[in-house]
């Protein structure tokens, strides 16, 4: 047939063209223009169900659109027809359903293809098979799949890489159809070059997979939940009335008095379940989980490959490379190799707009993902229903953590206010501020620095008392017990959620191996196969059966991977790289902290040269503030760098499963980020001022820089400044910049790109986007590791150094109130809907929290004993004070130095800066005076204070550890009422099965009795009708059996 000829078979004038809204035929989509050399036999296949014409008018061949325009069917008339037809997008709720408006879209696969720009010169050809039944499931075409494009003027260059991807997609989608899934393709979208495959799981597939996955589903049996009685009931009712305004207005959050008995779904026991509404029996979260499990295990291992013309692609290595790329398990390897660009379940609908239908996403946006409801509880059950158990547990844990911060914040505020109230009564700070004492301090640096009065540090001394007072010791003990109580409270909350979400008997099964692991195993198998081939070259008699060898080679990618596995020898280079890389990163962090120390020392020396008294008085504050800001910027930058490095180090290890990958990634990322965040704080707390030396014998760095000294009031105030700036700055910048600014910037960039594309095609711009197109433009879900990591680092700030900063719980509480709504808004509005994952706990994060809680006890003990002046004050009060007060404590902690003992070139250049000649200057240390026989040696007071400090560390650590363990022991992990309910469920389930067995026995006995009676009646009538004996007997036994 000529190209410009048109063949129309029985095309009536009033043929109904179906509900397609645009000028294209419904169910007919375009394939890439580089596939024009595909054989004509494969042609275009159109699903009969979605054809535009009635069944009796389907024999139509449209050869050339230009020929149709020549006979009068032009753009104007097609627009008129479309204006009179019904909008098909409204029938399918704009992408939430298939084109028939009945089958729900459970999952979306997205792929890229090359779309030709010369749309008017393209040829559409439709080939339709009139047979009413398909021979096999594999012959079932995708709606809209199989359209072939051909260029009129010239044939484009064939891209074999794109052909390879298309063949793999066809093979994979054919396997999905064989697995029972139903697919529909859509390439007529507003996004150029992007195609979508809609996946629907029918009822029989859902039942089969639910049984495989052992999903617990609610049965018809309902039972009463045990209620409290007496005084507890009244207290609970009062609490409910008080907290009613802060409860979210969702049905799932209301207290329940009855609960359905749950049981793992079984097709043989469907009568136990309420299947009156099959459409809602499996919710959207469960349906997407089931489809994702099928996608993960569906294989793509056939040797269907696009061979090039004369390019030498017939080698076995190429075929095996193809199989290696494809991997054993489909969707993970196909996504990794770019065969599909994305795979995700759909959101339930829009969350904003005037005519938006009610859905769970809209309800979550109103009652959870809004800053206006920050004071309300979270609708955790609805979050779990929409996002799954794993994400639900994260937000439940975050809510419990935030609630537990309330009492910690209150106690921290009380401790801070106590410091403010007693600052004027603190005798050591009053002595430091008293100018009558006339204490002259030794210079802070060599030559350029001069002598200075201790009274000039009055403000620092008074401020340090706000955080360095006896109440901070109590607060440290309180926070250690708070951490233990928080962990126990979370375990009990977790058990309640497991009971409510039917996860009590859930055990995580081993995941499918990752695509990278399968590729590595296959690579190892191929190397072993290659070695065997090299060995067989020297023994040709062993390779006589070439056919067998060829079969082994073809099946290498499938079978060898089942026998092989990666051992520690295979991973040794990766382990060595991990060890060296982590050591290098930790060393880099230490080097940066050391660089900041050099900056502080050099800047302090430079500012000390300032001639203005105000400049010299603010040297310490200026140096501390600028150094902390530098540390903050470095920490934030290295956080991102270390996150990428930790992921790369984990990838080269090639863990077998996703769970192993996640745990190893978490451990590495936490280790690097922990060192990065806390190294500057550890330096100030435990190293600054410890290795200074003394006047006349200072310790120098690079023979020119003196080590830093603590302020006369101690290093605790500086530790407080360091901790507060790093904690607040990290939270503010990461929350506002990284979690709000960067996603909005990416969204704006995507919007500008789409706007540029829309300007090229005004017709596509006028169409409303489908749901899967809107979701495709959202950010992909990257996992919960960054969210947990941020909170774990914050938990460390709250517990590890809380003795130096009692207000840390308060700032963490304020941050978390915003963080919950920020994360909720991100999950609901800015991210693609993640695949629901079942989980009964928060995994490795719980062990990390427990480790931080134990470490916090030790660190706070050392902070109190070595960083603060709490122990020296106690020693002075009970050993050296003459009148039992703190008068004379400052003078007791200062040693004397004769200025004539300065080393040459280290004495101040201006010794008369204070207006008088200085003979003796003071410095903070416990050393013998210059008039002693052993001048400048460590005194006995130093050893007494050190012994007291070590004793305090031992007593404090053991006492608090014992109290924490006692809290763990006294609070049961499982609430008593929950254990009773679990036991009650088991008893009720046994009763249900016992009744079922009794019913079966009674029915069997009834059947036997009826059979016996019928047999007796037939025997009584048999002599009269001998010829029809068999017929009468059959009629006797043909009674209906109602089961």
């Amino acid at each position: 047939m000529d190209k410009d000829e048109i063949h129309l078979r029985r095309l009536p004038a009033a043929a109904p063209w179906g509900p397609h809204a645009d000028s294209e035929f419904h169910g007919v989509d375009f394939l890439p223009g580089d596939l024009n050399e595909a054989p004509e036999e494969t042609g275009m296949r159109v699903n009969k169900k979605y054809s535009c014409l009635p069944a009796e008018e389907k024999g139509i061949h449209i050869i050339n659109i230009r020929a149709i325009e020549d006979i009068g069917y032009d753009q104007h008339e097609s627009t008129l027809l479309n204006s009179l037809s019904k909008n098909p997008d409204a029938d399918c709720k704009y992408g939430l359903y298939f084109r028939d408006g009945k089958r729900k879209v459970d999952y979306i696969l997205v792929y890229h293809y090359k779309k030709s720009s010369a749309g008017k010169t393209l040829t559409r050809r439709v080939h339709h098979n009139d047979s009413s039944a398909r021979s096999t499931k594999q012959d079932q075409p995708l709606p809209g799949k199989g359209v072939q494009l051909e260029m009129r003027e010239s044939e484009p260059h064939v891209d074999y890489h794109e052909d390879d991807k298309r063949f793999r997609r066809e093979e994979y989608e054919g396997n999905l159809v064989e697995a029972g899934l139903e697919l529909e393709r859509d390439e007529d979208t507003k996004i150029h070059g992007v195609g979508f495959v809609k996946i629907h799981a029918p009822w029989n597939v859902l039942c089969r997979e639910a049984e495989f996955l052992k999903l617990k589903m609610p049965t018809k049996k309902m039972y009463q939940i045990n209620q409290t009685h007496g005084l507890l009931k009244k207290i609970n009712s009062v609490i409910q009335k008080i907290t009613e305004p802060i409860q979210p207005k969702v049905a799932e959050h209301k207290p329940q008095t009855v609960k359905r008995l749950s049981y793992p779904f079984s097709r043989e026991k469907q009568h136990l379940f309420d299947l009156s509404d099959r459409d809602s029996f499996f919710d959207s979260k469960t349906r997407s989980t089931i489809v994702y499990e099928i996608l993960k295990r569906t294989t793509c291992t056939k040797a269907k490959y696009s061979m090039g013309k004369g390019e030498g692609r017939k080698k076995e290595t190429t075929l095996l490379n193809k199989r290696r790329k494809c991997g054993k398990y489909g969707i993970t390897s196909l996504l990794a190799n770019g065969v599909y660009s994305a795979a995700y379940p759909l959101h339930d609908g829009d969350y904003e707009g005037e005519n938006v239908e009610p859905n769970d996403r809209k309800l979550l946006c109103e009652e959870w993902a809004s800053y206006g409801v920050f004071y309300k509880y979270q609708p955790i059950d609805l979050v779990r229903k929409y996002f799954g158990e794993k994400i639900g547990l994260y937000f439940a844990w975050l809510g419990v953590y935030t609630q537990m911060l309330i009492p910690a914040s209150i106690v921290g505020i009380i401790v801070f206010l106590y410091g403010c109230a007693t600052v004027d009564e603190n005798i050591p700070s009053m002595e430091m501020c008293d100018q009558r004492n006339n204490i002259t301090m030794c210079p802070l640096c060599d030559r350029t620095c001069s002598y200075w009065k201790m009274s000039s540090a009055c403000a620092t001394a008074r401020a340090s008392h706000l955080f360095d007072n006896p109440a901070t010791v109590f607060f440290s003990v309180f926070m250690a017990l708070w951490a233990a109580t928080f962990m126990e409270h979370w375990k009990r909350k977790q058990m309640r959620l497991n009971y409510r979400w039917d996860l009590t008997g859930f055990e995580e099964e081993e995941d499918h191996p990752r695509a990278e692991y399968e590729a590595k195993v296959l690579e190892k198998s191929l190397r072993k196969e290659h070695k065997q081939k090299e060995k067989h070259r020297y023994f040709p008699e062993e390779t006589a059966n070439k056919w067998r060898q060829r079969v082994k080679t073809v099946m290498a990618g499938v079978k060898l991977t089942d026998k092989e596995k990666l051992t520690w020898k295979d991973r040794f280079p990766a382990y060595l790289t991990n060890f060296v890389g982590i050591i290098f990163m930790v060393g880099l962090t230490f080097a940066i902290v050391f660089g900041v120390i050099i900056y502080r020392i050099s800047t302090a020396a430079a500012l000390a040269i300032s001639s203005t008294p105000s400049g010299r008085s603010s040297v310490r504050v200026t140096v501390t503030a600028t150094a902390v800001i530098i540390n903050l910027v470095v920490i934030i930058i290295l956080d991102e760098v270390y996150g990428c490095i930790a992921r790369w180090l984990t990838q080269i290890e090639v863990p077998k499963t996703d769970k192993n990958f996640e745990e190893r990634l978490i451990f590495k990322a936490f280790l690097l980020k922990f060192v990065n965040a806390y190294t500057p704080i550890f330096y100030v707390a435990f190293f600054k001022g410890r290795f200074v030396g003394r006047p006349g014998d200072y310790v120098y760095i690079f023979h020119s820089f003196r080590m830093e000294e603590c302020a006369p009031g101690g290093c605790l105030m500086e530790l407080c400044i360091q901790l507060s700036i790093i904690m607040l700055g990290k939270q503010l910048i990461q929350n506002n910049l990284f979690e709000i600014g960067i996603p909005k910037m990416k969204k704006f960039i995507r919007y500008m790109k789409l706007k540029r594309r829309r300007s090229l095609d005004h017709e596509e711009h006028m169409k409303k986007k489908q749901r899967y197109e809107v979701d495709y433009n959202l950010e992909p879900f990257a996992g919960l590791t960054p969210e947990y990591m941020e909170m774990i680092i914050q938990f460390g700030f709250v517990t590890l150094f809380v003795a130096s900063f009692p207000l840390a719980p308060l700032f963490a509480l304020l941050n978390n109130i915003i963080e919950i709504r920020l994360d909720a808004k991100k999950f609901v509005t800015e991210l693609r809907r993640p695949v629901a994952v079942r989980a009964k706990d928060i995994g490795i994060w719980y062990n990390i929290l427990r480790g931080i809680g134990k470490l916090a006890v030790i660190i706070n003990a050392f902070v109190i004993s070595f960083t603060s002046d709490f122990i020296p004050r106690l020693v002075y009060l009970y050993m050296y004070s003459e009148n039992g007060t703190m008068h004379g404590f400052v003078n007791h902690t200062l040693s004397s130095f004769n200025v004539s003992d300065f080393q040459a070139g280290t004495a101040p250049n201006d010794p008369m800066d204070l207006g008088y000649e200085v003979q003796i200057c003071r410095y903070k240390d416990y050393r013998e005076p210059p008039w002693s026989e052993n001048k400048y040696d460590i005194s006995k007071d130093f050893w007494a204070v050190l012994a007291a400090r070590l004793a305090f560390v031992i007593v404090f650590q053991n006492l608090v550890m014992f109290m924490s363990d006692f809290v763990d022991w006294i609070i049961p992990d499982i609430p008593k009422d929950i254990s009773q309910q679990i036991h009650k469920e088991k008893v009720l389930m046994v009763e249900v099965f016992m009744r079922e067995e009794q019913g079966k026995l009674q029915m069997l006995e009834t059947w036997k009795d009826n059979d016996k009676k019928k047999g007796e009646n037939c025997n009584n009538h048999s002599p009269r009708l001998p010829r029809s004996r068999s017929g009468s007997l059959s009629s006797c036994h043909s009674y209906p059996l109602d089961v």
Side-chain angles (χ1 to χ4, degrees):
M1 185 180 291
D2 189 35
K3 286 188 176 181
D4 292 331
E5 180 184 354
I6 179 166
H7 175 66
L8 300 178
R9 184 177 1 146
R10 296 194 309 274
L11 181 61
W17 285 91
H20 200 57
D22 54 16
S23 61
E24 298 176 358
F25 294 103
H26 182 57
V28 180
D29 294 315
F30 291 102
L31 288 182
D34 57 0
L35 306 182
N36 300 337
E37 292 189 355
E40 291 187 5
E41 300 90 284
T42 59
M44 173 176 178
R45 295 166 292 173
V46 182
N47 193 331
K48 302 195 304 282
K49 192 166 187 177
Y50 306 105
S51 179
C52 307
L53 300 177
E56 67 275 6
E57 299 295 332
K58 288 182 179 178
I60 177 170
H61 296 262
I62 301 174
I63 301 302
N64 199 316
I65 293 297
R66 185 173 296 175
I68 293 181
E69 293 176 0
D70 292 340
I71 66 172
Y73 187 80
D74 57 6
Q75 181 74 20
H76 175 72
E77 294 182 6
S78 66
T79 306
L80 179 61
L81 286 174
N82 291 330
S83 64
L84 296 176
S85 63
K86 189 178 178 181
N87 186 2
D89 293 338
D91 294 338
C92 63
K93 294 187 178 180
Y94 294 98
L96 289 175
Y97 289 82
F98 276 21
R99 284 290 179 181
D100 57 2
K102 298 178 181 179
R103 292 177 292 174
K104 186 177 178 63
V105 177
D106 299 320
Y107 219 87
I108 291 292
L109 299 179
V110 187
Y111 60 91
H112 287 275
Y113 66 93
K114 292 187 177 180
K115 189 172 183 179
S116 177
S117 60
K120 290 187 178 181
T121 62
L122 297 179
T123 302
R124 307 181 195 179
R125 294 190 303 178
V126 180
H127 298 277
H128 181 72
N129 188 1
D130 291 329
S131 60
S132 59
R134 292 181 297 268
S135 59
T136 61
K137 285 186 177 181
Q138 192 171 0
D139 294 331
Q140 179 184 357
L142 298 180
K145 178 181 176 182
V147 180
Q148 188 176 355
L149 298 181
E150 292 186 356
M151 297 295 296
R152 286 177 54 88
E153 285 84 12
S154 62
E155 294 182 353
H157 176 69
V158 178
D159 190 344
Y160 293 103
H161 183 64
E162 291 297 323
D163 281 356
D164 178 42
K165 289 184 178 180
R166 180 170 61 86
F167 285 142
R168 280 195 265 177
R169 284 197 297 267
E170 289 179 353
E171 176 191 345
Y172 184 68
E173 290 162 10
N175 293 338
L176 292 180
V177 173
E178 289 181 358
L181 298 178
E182 297 177 5
L183 312 181
E184 185 178 79
R185 185 186 300 274
D186 184 10
E187 291 181 355
D188 181 23
T189 63
K190 297 182 71 174
I191 307 176
H192 286 264
V194 176
F196 298 88
V197 177
K198 296 173 276 187
I199 303 177
H200 168 76
W203 172 257
N204 60 331
V205 174
L206 293 174
C207 294
R208 181 191 71 205
E209 298 298 323
E211 185 174 351
F212 291 166
L213 296 175
K214 300 177 183 179
L215 296 180
K216 274 192 171 183
M217 304 302 295
T219 63
K220 298 176 183 177
K221 177 68 176 178
M222 302 181 70
Y223 67 95
Q224 193 80 17
I225 297 177
N226 293 337
Q227 301 292 326
T228 56
H229 301 284
L231 182 61
L232 288 177
K233 184 177 181 180
K234 293 181 180 179
I235 294 175
N236 288 337
S237 62
V238 172
I239 293 175
Q240 287 180 5
K241 290 181 180 178
I242 294 175
T243 60
E244 186 176 358
I246 60 175
Q247 300 290 345
K249 297 177 182 178
V250 295
E252 286 78 3
H253 199 77
K254 295 180 180 179
Q256 298 178 351
T257 57
V258 294
K259 185 178 184 294
R260 287 188 178 273
L261 193 64
S262 297
Y263 185 74
F265 187 82
S266 174
R267 288 173 289 181
E268 296 180 355
K269 300 183 182 297
Q270 290 192 24
H271 58 278
L272 295 177
F273 305 94
D274 185 10
L275 303 180
S276 56
D277 186 6
R278 292 189 172 186
D279 292 337
S280 61
F281 183 74
F282 296 106
D283 56 15
S284 59
K285 175 223 14 159
T286 307
R287 297 175 70 99
S288 63
T289 303
I290 289 174
V291 174
Y292 182 65
E293 288 296 326
I294 298 175
L295 293 176
K296 282 201 300 184
R297 73 164 185 260
T298 302
T299 58
C300 173
T301 54
K302 293 181 181 178
K304 196 173 187 177
Y305 192 71
S306 172
M307 292 296 181
K309 295 181 180 180
E311 296 182 17
R313 302 179 99 177
K314 295 183 179 180
K315 295 181 181 179
E316 291 177 352
T317 55
T318 306
L319 183 62
L320 293 175
N321 282 335
K322 152 70 174 58
R323 190 176 293 110
R324 179 179 61 81
K325 289 180 181 178
C326 205
K328 185 176 179 181
Y329 291 97
I331 193 60
T332 53
S333 58
L334 295 177
L335 286 172
N337 290 283
V339 179
Y340 291 103
S341 58
Y344 52 89
L346 291 179
H347 281 291
D348 280 357
D350 292 327
Y351 59 89
E352 59 183 359
E354 297 179 357
N355 300 322
V356 176
E357 295 183 2
N359 57 73
D360 288 343
R361 187 188 188 194
K362 186 174 185 295
L363 187 59
L364 282 172
C365 187
E366 294 173 352
E367 295 294 329
W368 182 52
S370 174
Y371 295 108
V373 293
F374 71 92
Y375 59 92
K376 288 187 176 183
Y377 285 101
Q378 298 182 85
I380 293 298
D381 291 327
L382 185 59
V383 174
R384 173 253 178 181
K385 177 185 175 185
Y386 192 79
F387 291 109
E389 286 79 8
K390 191 171 185 178
I391 294 177
L393 282 173
Y394 163 71
F395 282 103
W397 173 83
L398 185 56
V400 170
Y401 172 48
T402 304
Q403 290 176 11
M404 290 294 293
L405 283 173
I406 295 176
S409 303
I410 294 173
V411 176
I413 293 173
I414 293 173
V415 170
F416 179 74
L417 292 178
Y418 171 81
C420 295
T422 58
V423 66
D424 293 330
E425 301 174 1
N426 183 37
I427 296 176
S429 61
M430 291 172 61
E431 288 182 349
M432 289 182 65
C433 295
D434 190 0
Q435 297 184 0
R436 294 174 297 178
N437 289 334
N438 197 25
I439 299 177
T440 303
M441 303 298 293
C442 295
L444 296 175
C445 61
D446 294 341
R447 294 189 300 276
T448 56
C449 299
S450 184
Y451 305 105
W452 55 285
K453 293 285 188 181
M454 175 174 276
S455 58
S456 62
C458 175
T460 305
R462 289 174 62 87
S464 64
H465 178 73
L466 301 178
F467 307 99
D468 188 6
N469 55 70
T472 57
V473 180
F474 159 76
F475 191 57
S476 299
V477 178
F478 171 81
M479 288 303 295
L481 298 179
W482 172 88
T485 307
F486 162 61
M487 300 304 296
E488 291 301 313
H489 179 48
W490 166 243
K491 281 196 292 187
R492 292 169 62 85
K493 176 71 173 178
Q494 193 170 253
M495 282 305 303
R496 289 187 181 277
L497 293 176
N498 286 341
Y499 164 72
R500 210 157 68 202
W501 296 348
D502 299 323
L503 294 171
T504 49
F506 170 71
E507 293 294 336
E508 293 186 9
E509 299 180 356
E510 186 177 359
D511 293 336
H512 296 299
R514 298 172 62 247
E516 293 81 358
Y517 179 84
E518 288 291 330
K520 202 74 175 178
V521 171
L522 183 55
E523 186 179 341
K524 179 182 177 181
S525 304
L526 295 178
R527 284 200 303 266
K528 185 176 292 187
E529 186 77 9
H530 180 70
K531 290 180 181 179
Q532 292 178 356
K533 286 183 179 180
E534 292 293 330
K535 186 186 297 184
H536 291 326
R537 284 185 182 179
Y538 301 100
F539 304 97
E541 66 277 1
E542 296 182 7
T543 59
N545 196 342
K546 294 184 178 181
W547 182 85
R548 181 177 297 176
Q549 294 297 325
R550 188 174 302 171
V551 170
K552 287 182 178 180
T553 303
V554 172
M555 298 302 294
V558 181
K559 291 187 176 180
L560 289 180
T561 55
D562 296 334
K563 301 177 183 178
E564 297 292 340
K565 63 179 182 179
L566 297 183
T567 62
W568 68 270
K569 293 181 180 179
D570 301 319
R571 291 194 173 105
F572 180 75
Y575 289 154
L576 183 62
T577 305
N578 272 260
F579 178 76
V580 174
I582 291 176
I583 295 298
F584 175 76
M585 292 299 111
V586 173
L588 176 64
T589 304
F590 290 163
I592 291 174
V593 172
F594 183 73
V596 175
I597 294 172
I598 299 298
Y599 162 80
R600 295 162 67 109
I601 296 172
S602 58
T603 305
L607 292 176
I609 306 176
S610 175
S611 58
T612 59
S614 60
R616 281 178 289 180
S617 62
S618 61
V619 167
R620 192 178 297 275
V621 177
T622 304
V623 170
T624 301
T626 54
V628 172
I629 292 174
I630 293 173
N631 275 326
L632 174 63
V633 173
V634 170
I635 286 172
I636 292 175
I637 294 174
L638 288 183
D639 258 355
E640 302 301 316
V641 175
Y642 286 167
C644 299
I645 292 176
R647 178 169 292 276
W648 176 74
L649 291 175
T650 309
Q651 286 174 348
I652 64 175
E653 278 189 53
V654 197
K656 183 175 181 180
T657 62
D658 288 331
K659 184 179 180 181
N660 293 339
F661 180 88
E662 185 179 15
E663 289 180 351
R664 296 186 185 192
L665 173 63
I666 289 170
F667 175 75
K668 294 180 183 65
F670 173 74
L671 178 63
L672 292 175
K673 293 189 177 186
F674 182 89
V675 172
N676 180 43
Y678 296 113
T679 300
I681 301 173
F682 269 94
Y683 163 72
V684 175
F686 302 121
F687 296 99
K688 184 178 179 180
R690 309 292 174 191
F691 312 102
V692 178
R694 62 171 179 82
D697 189 21
Y698 283 115
V699 177
Y700 290 91
I701 302 176
F702 303 133
H703 304 287
S704 56
F705 296 107
R706 261 173 53 182
M707 289 294 292
E708 289 184 289
E709 297 182 48
C710 289
C715 281
L716 195 69
M717 184 60 197
E718 189 170 344
L719 177 62
C720 173
I721 295 173
Q722 185 103 2
L723 182 65
S724 59
I725 292 179
I726 291 178
M727 178 182 176
L728 297 179
K730 199 169 183 294
Q731 291 179 351
L732 290 175
I733 293 177
Q734 284 189 337
N735 286 350
N736 295 327
L737 179 61
F738 293 162
E739 295 195 22
I740 299 178
I742 292 180
K744 288 188 178 298
M745 187 182 302
K746 290 182 178 178
K747 192 175 181 180
F748 177 75
I749 293 173
R750 287 196 303 270
Y751 169 76
M752 294 302 295
K753 288 182 179 178
L754 290 175
K755 188 176 180 182
R756 194 177 305 162
R757 291 175 180 174
R758 289 171 187 169
S759 62
L760 300 176
D761 195 336
H762 180 71
E763 181 183 350
E764 291 188 356
H765 175 64
M766 298 305 294
K767 294 187 298 184
K768 182 178 179 180
K769 278 189 176 182
Q770 303 289 331
R771 176 79 264 154
Y772 43 85
E773 294 180 75
V774 177
D775 288 1
Y776 177 69
N777 291 326
L778 299 176
E779 280 291 309
F781 175 63
L784 290 171
T785 300
E787 313 298 336
Y788 272 115
M789 189 68 68
E790 181 183 348
M791 289 296 104
I792 296 297
I793 296 296
Q794 185 203 83
F795 182 78
F797 282 124
V798 169
T799 55
L800 293 179
F801 298 94
V802 73
S804 63
F805 190 40
L807 295 179
L810 175 64
F811 290 112
L813 174 65
L814 297 177
N815 173 79
N816 287 5
I817 292 174
I818 301 173
E819 180 74 18
I820 289 176
R821 308 302 165 179
L822 179 67
D823 286 347
K825 195 173 186 66
K826 181 172 65 175
F827 272 83
V828 174
T829 64
E830 296 180 3
L831 294 180
R832 294 175 191 162
R833 188 175 183 177
V835 180
V837 179
R838 288 189 298 169
K840 60 186 304 182
D841 51 39
I842 59 176
I844 193 175
W845 296 110
Y846 181 81
N847 298 328
I848 292 176
L849 286 169
R850 286 188 64 87
I852 291 178
K854 299 295 184 182
L855 183 62
V857 177
I858 302 173
I859 290 179
N860 281 308
F862 278 94
V863 168
I864 293 171
S865 59
F866 285 91
T867 307
S868 72
D869 284 338
F870 177 73
I871 299 301
R873 289 173 184 173
L874 285 181
V875 172
Y876 176 79
L877 184 64
Y878 292 105
M879 292 182 62
Y880 301 104
S881 177
E882 297 177 356
N883 52 6
T885 63
M886 294 301 296
H887 288 287
F889 170 73
V890 174
N891 187 57
H892 177 74
T893 58
L894 297 177
S895 299
S896 301
F897 177 75
N898 193 335
V899 298
S900 61
D901 294 332
F902 272 122
Q903 292 181 355
T906 60
N909 294 333
D910 187 9
M912 300 294 295
D913 184 62
L914 294 178
Y916 57 88
E917 186 179 359
V918 177
Q919 299 292 332
I920 300 293
C921 66
R922 310 294 297 275
Y923 61 98
K924 190 172 183 179
D925 204 350
Y926 291 99
R927 292 183 179 271
E928 297 291 342
W931 51 83
S932 174
E933 294 181 0
N934 303 317
K935 64 177 183 179
Y936 307 134
D937 286 347
I938 295 175
S939 64
K940 296 179 180 179
D941 299 342
F942 172 83
W943 300 111
V945 172
L946 179 62
R949 283 174 166 167
L950 293 176
F952 176 82
V953 169
I954 295 172
V955 173
F956 181 88
Q957 175 183 336
N958 287 278
L959 178 62
V960 176
M961 287 284 191
F962 170 77
M963 296 173 68
S964 300
D965 292 339
F966 180 75
V967 170
D968 292 347
W969 173 76
I970 201 172
I971 300 177
D973 294 344
I974 305 176
K976 186 177 180 181
D977 59 329
I978 296 300
S979 60
Q980 292 175 352
Q981 298 291 352
I982 294 173
H983 178 71
K984 185 176 181 179
E985 278 194 352
K986 293 179 180 179
V987 173
L988 289 174
M989 187 56 65
V990 172
E991 290 180 359
V992 168
F993 286 121
M994 290 298 294
R995 289 176 184 174
E996 185 179 357
E997 290 297 325
Q998 291 175 1
K1000 289 180 180 179
L1001 291 175
Q1002 291 176 0
M1003 185 171 58
L1004 186 61
E1005 291 176 359
T1006 304
W1007 181 80
K1008 288 181 179 179
D1009 293 340
N1010 292 337
D1011 187 46
K1012 190 175 182 181
K1013 291 179 182 179
K1014 293 289 184 180
E1016 292 177 356
N1017 294 336
C1018 291
N1019 290 332
N1020 294 334
H1021 294 287
S1022 58
R1024 299 180 183 179
L1025 299 173
R1027 293 177 100 184
S1028 61
R1029 180 176 179 180
S1030 59
S1032 61
L1033 283 174
S1034 63
S1035 64
C1036 290
H1037 290 281
S1038 62
Y1039 58 88
L1041 179 61
D1042 187 13
V1043 180

